[in-house]
Amino acid sequence: MTAEFGAEVKCGVTALTSALSKEDGDSALVCAADCRLGKAGGNNESLFGDAAAAFVVGRDKVVASFEGAYSVSVDFADLRRSSGDQFVRSWEERWIREEGYTKFIPQAVGHVLGKAGLQPAALTKAVFPPMSARDHTAVGKSLGLKPNQIQDPLLQTVGNAGAAHPLLMLAAALEEAKPGDTLVVIGYGGGADALLLRVTDAIKSSRTEASFSAAWPTSRKWIPTPSTCLSKT
């Protein structure tokens, strides 16, 4: 079976959650990529970045086990692009922040932690996409997290890569993770998806040096990503 997930910027995390939630023993390859254009002179022009991330989901040599998930679905059209549009359109920034971003993410995280019987202090890293650097920090504080529990949003090195961004941040988090670490990964857009992962001992032997041959017109850096297998169990 193959499946395509789209129409929301959280679809990368939605696809990963779907693969992890399958009860059969088959492995799966989850890929997410995005390339968006913002209008010249607008915030999105400098905010958006282009990237892709991929994960293998299975049961062998897993570096992180799946501990649970929770989804919030809301008809909330903050960012949108019709099929004929070249640029992404958005509603007023304060409304998006106060009625969407700062509400949906804490709601999803609170429920997934509650299902697992965990408090925010038990998290090693929270991985969630940035609306801006300031708003990203504010949401982390609202979750009761310390700065060292919040994954670098990669705004200064990549920008916001849409559907690929939470998975890109997850790959970066796994580069530094240790056995026993607990990660929560959130996708935002039309609500929020949150999944809980626990890093295994296999993380020690799975890390490999990755090289990229990608052209970029500015001085932005590329983040190495591991060859990663996540567990369904």
Side-chain angles (χ1 to χ4, degrees):
M1 183 190 74
T2 62
E4 180 180 355
F5 295 77
E8 291 288 358
V9 289
K10 70 179 176 69
C11 65
V13 175
T14 304
L16 183 59
T17 303
S18 177
L20 288 166
S21 300
K22 290 182 61 177
E23 296 183 357
D24 59 44
D26 294 338
S27 60
L29 176 63
V30 178
C31 306
D34 217 338
C35 179
R36 302 178 295 169
L37 293 177
K39 286 186 177 181
N43 290 336
N44 290 338
E45 182 187 23
S46 59
L47 176 65
F48 288 166
D50 308 331
F55 287 86
V56 172
V57 174
R59 298 184 185 276
D60 299 324
K61 300 179 181 179
V62 301
V63 301
S65 62
F66 178 52
E67 302 294 316
Y70 188 87
S71 294
V72 177
S73 297
V74 183
D75 186 10
F76 189 78
D78 49 359
L79 299 176
R80 63 200 187 281
R81 181 175 59 186
S82 300
S83 58
D85 288 343
Q86 182 181 8
F87 301 110
V88 173
R89 301 172 183 269
S90 65
W91 291 103
E92 198 271 328
E93 183 178 335
R94 186 176 65 175
W95 181 76
I96 295 173
R97 177 176 61 249
E98 296 179 0
E99 296 301 320
Y101 185 77
T102 60
K103 286 186 177 181
F104 302 154
I105 291 177
Q107 184 178 347
V109 172
H111 279 88
V112 77
L113 292 181
K115 288 173 62 177
L118 297 177
Q119 296 296 320
L123 290 175
T124 308
K125 289 289 184 181
V127 178
F128 57 97
M131 180 174 169
S132 68
R134 181 182 62 185
D135 294 326
H136 188 262
T137 300
V139 168
K141 289 182 179 179
S142 74
L143 291 171
L145 301 175
K146 298 179 180 179
N148 64 350
Q149 291 178 282
I150 304 171
Q151 181 63 29
D152 179 1
L154 306 179
L155 282 176
Q156 299 302 313
T157 52
V158 180
N160 189 321
H165 204 75
L167 301 191
L168 197 68
M169 292 177 63
L170 172 58
L174 289 172
E175 285 285 342
E176 302 176 345
K178 301 183 297 296
D181 283 357
T182 302
L183 312 176
V184 64
V185 185
I186 305 101
Y188 167 79
D193 292 331
L195 60 90
L196 197 63
L197 301 173
R198 192 176 303 278
V199 179
T200 72
D201 289 335
I203 194 73
K204 297 177 182 178
S205 58
S206 71
R207 291 194 176 102
T208 58
E209 292 296 328
S211 61
F212 293 88
S213 56
W216 194 265
T218 71
S219 61
R220 290 180 179 175
K221 302 175 183 178
W222 288 97
I223 306 298
T225 56
S227 175
T228 304
C229 187
L230 302 179
S231 172
K232 300 179 185 178
T233 58

